[in-house]
Amino acid sequence: MCGSELRRLDVWAMANSQLLAPELSEAETMGAETARFEELLLQASKELQQAQTTRPESTQIQPQPGFCIKTNSSEGKVFINICHSASIPPPADVTEDELLQMLEEDQAGFRIPMSLGEPHAELDAKGQGCTAYDVAVNSDFYRRMQNSDFLRELVITIAREGLEDKYSLQLNPEWRMLKNRTFLGSISQQNIRSRQRPGPRIQELGNLDSPDSRRDEEGPEKPHLNLWLEAPDLLLAEIDLPKLDGALGLSLEIGENRLVMRGPQQLYHLDAYIPLRVNSDESRAAFHRKRKQLMVAMPLLSVPS
């Protein structure tokens, strides 16, 4: 791990006019935080696409029916077909007790990959117009979900929130499952991002650090680190820094397999091993002031096997 050269990154502060990099104006407000980081990710993604123009962008899948729930929005009845496909990657294999603990601690490490389909107009059992959405998860995970009311309700909640975010909806949190129908209307094919080789499902790597990075109780605090693959060739990181209000004094260095972060006044120190080869030259970092998080986008040098 120590053999890879570390490259220092400039950390951009968001929504803090005293710490903003030249690319940001002092007039930008808190509402620009998310947009700024999305811009960083978009820039990294564009560079990856230019370097990998021969890679297929998407694969068409045909989800299989599972069950259907009924809810409503301000525009009328809404049905959500929960479907499944073996082509969708499964979430991390954790027990329900472990998942409950993660949710109670408000950790963002558990993610359920989903494919959210386009809305399609349908007729309900009374012949009245309604809107249906198809949401697909991994087939193995779906079979596990069938035996767990907790996982089923969790998937429905995440699917509902995902549809609200994607299509600017306001769905009623109350819903009921249809007893005699596994889906409403017809389930259309969906396009999902292609993966030449299946990538590892990385969730929590906060405890993976180098032997020489350990500190005694009087030393700097080791912050919580959350890593996940946003795409087969893009690794994202969130580092929780609740004691900081901005990027002043933060230093970040990234090597092919290593991430080193130091906070001001020795408040924080993180020396983490990354089990993937990242492109430090194309990596981007930004401090999200509202969330008090350091966000890092790291393109991969090679697709994980």
Side-chain angles (χ1 to χ4, degrees):
M1 179 182 67
C2 296
S4 62
E5 181 180 353
L6 293 175
R7 177 180 180 270
R8 184 178 179 121
L9 294 185
D10 292 328
V11 180
W12 296 345
M14 295 182 285
N16 186 337
S17 61
Q18 294 179 345
L19 302 176
L20 294 179
E23 290 83 354
L24 298 179
S25 68
E26 293 188 0
E28 288 182 327
T29 63
M30 192 75 73
E33 291 176 315
T34 302
R36 181 55 181 163
F37 187 60
E38 288 177 351
E39 180 183 339
L40 297 177
L41 298 185
L42 180 61
Q43 181 179 354
S45 298
K46 286 182 177 179
E47 292 168 354
L48 286 169
Q49 292 173 4
Q50 292 173 357
Q52 302 170 352
T53 54
T54 59
R55 177 171 300 175
E57 293 183 357
S58 63
T59 299
Q60 198 168 65
I61 65 170
Q62 179 61 61
Q64 300 301 309
F67 61 87
C68 180
I69 67 168
K70 177 183 177 181
T71 183
N72 61 76
S73 69
S74 59
E75 299 180 356
K77 297 179 184 178
V78 173
F79 293 83
I80 303 176
N81 297 318
I82 302 296
C83 315
H84 60 92
S85 170
S87 300
I88 296 175
D93 187 12
V94 298
T95 66
E96 289 191 22
D97 289 339
E98 292 172 334
L99 178 54
L100 277 170
Q101 182 178 357
M102 294 171 67
L103 295 176
E104 289 173 355
E105 295 175 355
D106 196 26
Q107 295 185 20
F110 187 79
R111 297 172 183 272
I112 301 178
M114 291 183 178
S115 177
L116 306 178
E118 299 287 333
H120 47 99
E122 302 290 349
L123 297 177
D124 64 9
K126 298 180 180 180
Q128 298 177 343
C130 61
T131 303
Y133 296 87
D134 305 328
V135 177
V137 297
N138 174 264
S139 293
D140 290 337
F141 180 71
Y142 175 80
R143 285 186 281 271
R144 178 184 171 191
M145 181 179 64
Q146 284 183 302
N147 300 318
S148 170
D149 291 338
F150 168 69
L151 289 179
R152 187 184 303 113
E153 292 192 12
L154 179 63
V155 166
I156 291 172
T157 299
I158 296 175
R160 182 174 55 81
E161 293 176 350
L163 291 172
E164 288 181 332
D165 291 341
K166 184 173 182 179
Y167 296 111
S168 299
L169 302 173
Q170 186 64 48
L171 297 175
N172 189 335
E174 300 293 329
W175 54 267
R176 69 177 181 88
M177 186 182 302
L178 302 188
K179 295 182 178 180
N180 301 318
R181 302 189 69 165
T182 57
F183 64 95
L184 183 80
S186 59
I187 299 177
S188 303
Q189 292 183 333
Q190 296 185 17
N191 290 319
I192 63 172
R193 182 179 288 130
S194 297
R195 298 183 303 162
Q196 288 185 325
R197 289 178 288 176
R201 298 181 297 281
I202 300 176
Q203 302 296 336
E204 298 297 327
L205 297 182
N207 294 325
L208 295 181
D209 52 3
S210 60
D212 59 351
S213 68
R214 305 186 187 278
R215 294 291 185 272
D216 56 29
E217 295 182 357
E218 291 75 25
E221 177 183 339
K222 186 179 75 173
H224 175 77
L225 168 67
N226 180 40
L227 288 174
W228 74 93
L229 282 173
E230 177 69 13
D233 42 22
L234 182 61
L235 182 68
L236 301 186
E238 291 177 346
I239 305 173
D240 295 334
L241 303 171
K243 297 179 182 179
L244 300 185
D245 294 322
L248 185 64
L250 266 181
S251 68
L252 178 67
E253 295 176 293
I254 296 178
E256 285 188 9
N257 298 99
R258 188 179 177 191
L259 182 151
V260 178
M261 188 222 69
R262 297 178 178 86
Q265 302 176 351
Q266 296 190 351
L267 285 175
Y268 294 106
H269 183 275
L270 177 67
D271 190 341
Y273 171 68
I274 302 175
L276 298 171
R277 295 179 63 239
V278 302
N279 188 338
S280 59
D281 292 332
E282 302 298 333
S283 296
R284 302 288 186 269
F287 185 86
H288 197 303
R289 188 184 177 201
K290 186 175 181 181
R291 298 179 187 173
K292 294 182 180 292
Q293 287 179 331
L294 179 63
M295 299 172 161
V296 189
M298 296 170 283
L300 301 183
L301 288 173
S302 59
V303 177
S305 57

